[in-house]
Amino acid sequence: MDRSCHHASIDDLLGAIADDINAAVAQREVATKLAEKILCRVGAFSEEQLAHLDQLVKIGAALSAEKDIGHLFEMIVGEAQRYCNADGGTLYIYNDDGNALNFVIARNDTLGIRMGGTGDRITWPPVPLMDAAGKENHRNVSAYCALVGEAVNIADVYSAEGFDFHGTKEFDARTGYRSQSMLLVPLRDHEDEVVGVLQLLNAKDHLSDAVVPFPVADVERVTSLASQAAIALTKMRLLRELESLLMAFLQVIAHAIDEKSPYTSGHILRVAEITEKLVETINGSVEGRFASVHFDDEEADEIRMAAWMHDIGKITTPEHVIDKSTKLETIYDRIELIRCRVEILKRDAEIRRLRAALVEAGGKVPPEVPEHSVLDDHLAFLETVNVGGEFLSDASAERVKDLAGMKLTVGSREIPLLNDEEVVNLMIRRGTLNREELHLIRNHVEVTLSMLGRLPFPKKLARVPLYAGMHHEALNGRGYPKGLMGDKIPLAARMLAVADIFEALTAADRPYKLGKKMSEAMWILEKMVEEGHLDGDLCNLFVQSGLPVNYARKFLSPEQQNDFVWQGRHYVVVGPSAEEPQA
Ligand SMILES: [Fe+2]
Ligand SMILES: [Fe+2]
């Protein structure tokens, strides 16, 4: 080994160690200086300030977590009062027109006043921001604070100049209170817009409890608190506005679907109304299976929205299928074509007879055409079958087939009395819809599911597609589209099913039936419970709550309104005691 090389390596190593030590010392010095700086900064805050900061952070977190606007308003005033040890607090919020301040909360601990929020309702008139001449109302201190956007700190309102405090003095005279120190701060939201005013009254000394002016430091602190409150309030308003925009948008679509068909017009609207009443009825239920069920506001909103959305898939169902009122109807009723064909047959028969008469010696009255009465009878039969009011018997089906074989001549062509498509439709055994049309109608649920499935509903409305997509499921598994059974169908979907079927049963002007009388509709509903289609407990609650009786009185024609029997009990629809079921 080369010794000189060895020495050089040790020297290098020692040098490197020395460099590292120096660097570490230098870093330590930097760190120490930094720590001193931080300590110095922290020391600049008094303990009281740090406590206030801590409190402010906690209040901010609590405000942004609040979901109820009334509670939020109360919290803003309550926290501000506590923060400044103030005896009273009032919160004003801009009205919708932006030309006045509404009182939303008024608190006075000494007088025990708790108005607004969860307390008594406030009936005081709003504070106008403009006077009669259209000038800004700077005489009123809260209006001034909102208009100028600056805090106002008054040591004693009785000696304050520039503002009109006669209302405050009158209040004092009435109650024996003495309003003294007052602090007003504007509520500024994230866009620096003033949305309201927070007013605190009579700051109290922590030790003596005597009323003192609000300390200057409180102005900044309360301003910070007010801006936290304004942001929480704006956030809540924006969320509400978005929710109501979504609801309004979905209702517009529902109205459009209702409008699409004159026959089912108003169906969705009425189903939504019945469902909403069912939610209220279940929430008010004190005994039986539903006593333990309570839908909170968010769940109620979810069910309400599902009711509005349940038939949204009908937007793609062709109108002529929704409205198909006879078996031969497409865009128009093809019975007209058959009438024409029969007329041709009749004329042909007439021509044959006249020719025969001409061959014989003239002058005699021609005999009646024998084919006419037969053809008239065939046509009358086809017209009856076309209506689809009754189940088509085997004999009638055979006769339709036989008639299809009749031929007539149009120009040089020989055509059948009924073409294949007409035969398929006339052979429909029940109702007016053929297999493909039935599929198209039923497909509306699939379309509802796929449309709603594409909307990014917020978490609290996440079950809207599920409920809406199940409104044609039946507890016995014979529903569609999935054929779900029993427990697989949630209560909300069962409620929609009851509302949907009850509305459809009682609706007037359906294409293939007239509006049923209440007694008939309720009889069918009872049968559907017996067959295990609908939830029996739910239907019992529905009927016992008086909902169908009130519904009949509101929506059904006088001809449809009659008394009905449910589970052996007689319910009076026409008469003075509609609310009370009679035994
Ligand atoms: Fe439906
Ligand atoms: Fe429906």
Side-chain angles (χ1 to χ4, degrees):
M1 188 185 282
D2 185 330
R3 291 176 66 91
S4 64
C5 176
H6 182 66
H7 281 146
S9 300
I10 289 172
D11 288 346
D12 287 349
L13 190 63
L14 286 173
I17 291 170
D19 286 348
D20 284 351
I21 290 171
N22 284 337
V25 168
Q27 273 177 10
R28 199 179 147 212
E29 275 169 10
V30 170
T32 309
K33 276 185 186 157
L34 197 66
E36 278 169 2
K37 259 188 180 173
I38 292 168
L39 279 174
C40 181
R41 288 265 173 93
V42 171
F45 290 105
S46 68
E47 261 190 34
E48 194 197 343
Q49 280 175 313
L50 285 173
H52 271 298
L53 262 179
D54 185 46
Q55 206 181 349
L56 196 62
V57 170
K58 283 183 183 148
I59 294 170
L63 288 176
S64 63
E66 183 53 58
K67 288 179 178 171
D68 181 275
I69 201 149
H71 282 153
L72 178 67
F73 288 151
E74 274 183 338
M75 200 188 265
I76 292 168
V77 175
E79 293 296 344
Q81 271 185 273
R82 244 192 311 283
Y83 207 44
C84 302
N85 202 29
D87 192 39
T90 305
L91 183 65
Y92 307 85
I93 298 293
Y94 265 86
N95 68 356
D96 289 342
D97 296 334
N99 58 12
L101 291 172
N102 286 336
F103 284 91
V104 291
I105 298 285
R107 295 274 183 277
N108 188 300
D109 294 344
T110 300
L111 296 174
I113 293 175
R114 290 178 59 81
M115 293 166 82
T118 52
D120 302 332
R121 215 165 72 84
I122 299 188
T123 51
W124 298 335
V127 178
L129 293 172
M130 299 289 164
D131 62 20
K135 280 174 62 182
E136 289 192 343
N137 178 10
H138 284 193
R139 293 283 293 153
N140 180 289
V141 70
S142 50
Y144 173 86
C145 177
L147 290 164
V148 178
E150 282 174 7
V152 181
N153 191 1
I154 299 168
D156 188 346
V157 294
Y158 278 62
S159 53
E161 288 179 6
F163 297 115
D164 177 8
F165 280 113
H166 83 271
T168 310
K169 288 173 187 166
E170 272 175 23
F171 174 82
D172 286 359
R174 248 193 346 266
T175 57
Y177 191 71
R178 171 62 166 92
S179 301
Q180 197 174 318
S181 58
M182 188 181 273
L183 172 63
L184 297 103
V185 291
L187 264 70
R188 286 184 185 278
D189 67 8
H190 60 293
E191 286 172 329
D192 215 25
E193 290 280 323
V194 176
V195 295
V197 170
L198 175 61
Q199 176 185 299
L200 296 170
L201 187 66
N202 285 5
K204 286 185 169 179
D205 184 87
H206 280 281
L207 297 174
S208 67
D209 225 23
V211 175
V212 292
F214 284 88
V216 176
D218 272 2
V219 178
E220 202 179 323
R221 290 174 192 159
V222 177
T223 303
S224 316
L225 190 149
S227 76
Q228 297 239 40
I231 289 166
L233 176 63
T234 308
K235 184 192 91 178
M236 190 180 279
R237 278 187 170 168
L238 284 173
L239 280 175
R240 283 190 165 197
E241 280 168 16
L242 274 180
E243 276 168 20
S244 57
L245 176 69
L246 173 67
M247 191 66 202
F249 181 69
L250 295 178
Q251 284 179 348
V252 165
I253 297 176
H255 280 298
I257 295 165
D258 269 355
E259 284 297 308
K260 203 171 150 181
S261 161
Y263 297 115
T264 56
S265 168
H267 166 73
I268 297 172
L269 184 102
R270 290 191 292 267
V271 169
E273 182 165 332
I274 298 167
T275 310
E276 208 160 339
K277 292 251 161 64
L278 261 175
V279 170
E280 285 167 21
T281 306
I282 287 177
N283 279 353
S285 182
V286 289
E287 53 180 19
R289 189 177 125 202
F290 301 104
S292 58
V293 182
H294 183 86
F295 298 111
D296 64 24
D297 287 351
E298 290 186 354
E299 287 167 326
D301 278 351
E302 200 174 32
I303 297 171
R304 195 160 65 103
M305 193 171 279
W308 276 100
M309 290 297 91
H310 81 278
D311 273 340
I312 194 171
K314 281 191 183 163
I315 207 159
T316 63
T317 314
E319 280 147 70
H320 71 268
V321 176
I322 296 179
D323 292 351
K324 192 180 183 201
S325 63
T326 64
K327 293 179 182 180
L328 290 173
E329 185 171 322
T330 49
I331 304 295
Y332 67 101
D333 191 345
R334 286 171 293 178
I335 194 74
E336 292 303 329
L337 276 179
I338 294 166
R339 284 195 185 112
C340 289
R341 289 177 205 149
V342 171
E343 185 61 25
I344 290 171
L345 284 172
K346 283 163 81 175
R347 289 180 188 199
D348 284 351
E350 179 81 5
I351 291 164
R352 277 196 300 278
R353 185 191 66 80
L354 289 173
R355 276 191 182 145
L358 276 174
V359 172
E360 289 179 19
K364 286 184 193 168
V365 177
E368 254 186 39
V369 187
E371 290 100 323
H372 274 201
S373 60
V374 176
L375 286 168
D376 281 341
D377 185 54
H378 290 333
L379 183 58
F381 164 73
L382 290 174
E383 282 170 342
T384 308
V385 169
N386 187 36
V387 171
E390 285 173 18
F391 183 81
L392 188 77
S393 67
D394 288 345
S396 296
E398 278 308 308
R399 189 171 169 193
V400 171
K401 274 197 229 163
D402 289 346
L403 289 178
M406 284 183 76
K407 297 279 191 295
L408 62 151
T409 309
V410 177
S412 58
R413 278 188 313 132
E414 198 171 55
I415 62 166
L417 177 64
L418 305 170
N419 65 30
D420 293 347
E421 231 248 308
E422 287 157 356
V423 173
V424 167
N425 280 284
L426 286 168
M427 298 277 280
I428 294 166
R429 294 292 178 132
R430 195 186 292 278
T432 58
L433 299 170
N434 63 36
R435 200 184 295 259
E436 289 87 58
E437 289 159 345
L438 218 48
H439 174 76
L440 274 175
I441 288 271
R442 290 186 160 202
N443 191 49
H444 80 274
V445 191
E446 303 274 10
V447 181
T448 293
L449 270 170
S450 104
M451 284 176 76
L452 296 183
R454 281 179 220 178
L455 294 178
F457 281 100
K459 205 170 150 199
K460 63 180 187 173
L461 298 173
R463 289 172 294 187
V464 168
L466 180 91
Y467 296 159
M470 284 189 190
H471 75 276
H472 285 296
E473 297 290 355
L475 298 185
N476 56 17
R478 293 200 205 128
Y480 62 91
K482 296 200 170 87
L484 298 173
M485 288 185 82
D487 292 346
K488 294 278 185 295
I489 306 170
L491 179 59
R494 298 172 189 213
M495 290 157 66
L496 279 186
V498 172
D500 192 51
I501 288 170
F502 175 75
E503 199 288 331
L505 282 174
T506 51
D509 298 322
R510 281 292 166 118
Y512 45 87
K513 64 180 174 61
L514 297 166
K516 288 186 170 50
K517 287 185 186 235
M518 269 304 277
S519 56
E520 294 171 85
M522 297 311 283
W523 184 83
I524 296 173
L525 205 71
E526 209 170 9
K527 284 276 160 277
M528 292 181 88
V529 172
E530 275 170 31
E531 287 164 8
H533 186 118
L534 294 171
D535 185 323
D537 291 343
L538 186 61
C539 287
N540 285 339
L541 182 76
F542 171 63
V543 178
Q544 284 157 13
S545 71
L547 242 160
V549 171
N550 293 332
Y551 181 89
R553 293 190 145 199
K554 184 172 173 188
F555 290 110
L556 302 193
S557 65
E559 302 81 60
Q560 288 178 278
Q561 292 182 18
N562 68 351
D563 296 354
F564 64 88
V565 174
W566 180 269
Q567 303 287 320
R569 290 180 75 180
H570 187 85
Y571 287 80
V572 177
V573 173
V574 187
S577 55
E579 306 280 329
E580 285 286 309
Q582 291 189 353

